[in-house]
Amino acid sequence: GAGVSQTPSNKVTEKGKYVELRCDPISGHTALYWYRQSLGQGPEFLIYFQGTGAADDSGLPNDRFFAVRPEGSVSTLKIQRTERGDSAVYLCASSFNMNTEAFFGQGTRLTVV
Amino acid sequence: SQELEQSPQSLIVQEGKNLTINCTSSKTLYGLYWYKQKYGEGLIFLMMLQKGGEEKSHEKITAKLDEKKQQSSLHITASQPSHAGIYLCGADFRGANSKLTFGKGITLSVRP
């Protein structure tokens, strides 16, 4: 596609439920990033993929968060046992490689009630 | 992030006026990225600066990185309503674009 695509755009879930957020990067981009943005704050890094492997997952807040990129293209961010504090906009970005600028998707707004 | 401070926190200018916003790091940067965000939307890439003293321009926006690579400024000439939004700077502290640390952003409003 022309840009980074994220689905769904909005997700409301109940506390304790499991959610999956999807990211389709720009075709040909080998690097993929997940960030989380709370209201009034800048994005915070979660995880970075180079190809299929998670090269840096140091930003994942705890073991309820997990992300995969099995074929080196689409990525899924998975959150288990969601908590109200997980409510935020989850942003995905991709870049041609780790030395070029990253392009962001529109984000998925997650609300845990 | 306290590693990266943006100032001012918000700014209201009259259409046609020039303005400058700043991004200051507590550590030397390998790279500095400027993005713009409209409320509820993703980030739009503006410019990337990697060398001390570097300056880049695109249309009416000019970004500079100081020689020490700890401070960047973004200057908008003859502001327009389309320039309104949140301006975020993102810092590369590691020498690879793999993990950016962002500031809180500066909200710019342009009065017609």
Side-chain angles (χ1 to χ4, degrees):
Chain A
V4 178
S5 176
Q6 291 188 246
T7 53
S9 54
N10 279 284
K11 176 72 177 178
V12 179
T13 191
E14 291 181 348
K15 180 174 175 293
K17 298 289 188 186
Y18 167 83
V19 296
E20 288 189 350
L21 311 179
R22 177 187 167 106
C23 174
D24 275 277
I26 293 172
S27 179
H29 280 193
T30 62
L32 185 145
Y33 318 82
W34 283 99
Y35 286 80
R36 177 168 73 172
Q37 187 175 25
S38 300
L39 194 63
Q41 304 293 317
E44 289 182 300
F45 171 82
L46 295 176
I47 186 169
Y48 154 62
F49 286 89
Q50 180 58 47
T52 60
D56 184 348
D57 64 357
S58 61
L60 294 177
N62 51 59
D63 61 5
R64 295 186 297 105
F65 289 75
F66 190 70
V68 295
R69 195 187 185 198
E71 297 178 358
S73 177
V74 171
S75 176
T76 305
L77 178 67
K78 308 180 181 194
I79 310 174
Q80 297 177 322
R81 304 182 305 279
T82 51
E83 300 176 357
R84 292 198 179 89
D86 299 335
S87 297
V89 175
Y90 288 81
L91 294 163
C92 176
S94 70
S95 60
F96 181 71
N97 59 46
M98 61 186 282
N99 296 313
T100 56
E101 65 272 21
F103 295 89
F104 282 77
Q106 298 285 78
T108 293
R109 182 175 299 277
L110 176 66
T111 304
V112 182
V113 297
Chain B
S1 166
Q2 291 183 341
E3 293 178 301
L4 211 58
E5 296 287 339
Q6 291 192 247
S7 62
Q9 193 171 14
S10 62
L11 189 58
I12 303 173
V13 298
Q14 196 70 37
E15 182 177 359
K17 295 293 186 184
N18 303 336
L19 64 105
T20 300
I21 56 178
N22 298 293
C23 177
T24 303
S25 170
S26 58
K27 302 187 292 187
T28 298
L29 303 164
Y30 283 93
L32 191 288
Y33 300 76
W34 282 100
Y35 286 87
K36 180 185 171 187
Q37 186 175 32
K38 291 278 194 182
Y39 179 75
E41 299 181 8
L43 279 64
I44 300 167
F45 173 75
L46 296 176
M47 268 172 276
M48 173 175 71
L49 303 165
Q50 293 180 307
K51 299 176 185 174
E54 187 174 11
E55 180 175 320
K56 287 186 177 178
S57 293
H58 178 68
E59 296 181 343
K60 295 184 178 181
I61 300 176
T62 300
K64 300 179 186 179
L65 183 61
D66 74 338
E67 289 289 345
K68 286 186 178 179
K69 295 175 69 176
Q70 284 191 269
Q71 185 164 18
S72 178
S73 62
L74 188 84
H75 182 80
I76 299 177
T77 303
S79 57
Q80 300 169 353
S82 62
H83 289 126
I86 300 169
Y87 287 81
L88 291 152
C89 62
D92 170 11
F93 289 120
R94 305 198 308 185
N97 181 24
S98 55
K99 177 180 179 179
L100 296 184
T101 299
F102 283 91
K104 289 187 176 183
I106 295 168
T107 301
L108 172 65
S109 302
V110 180
R111 282 204 203 117

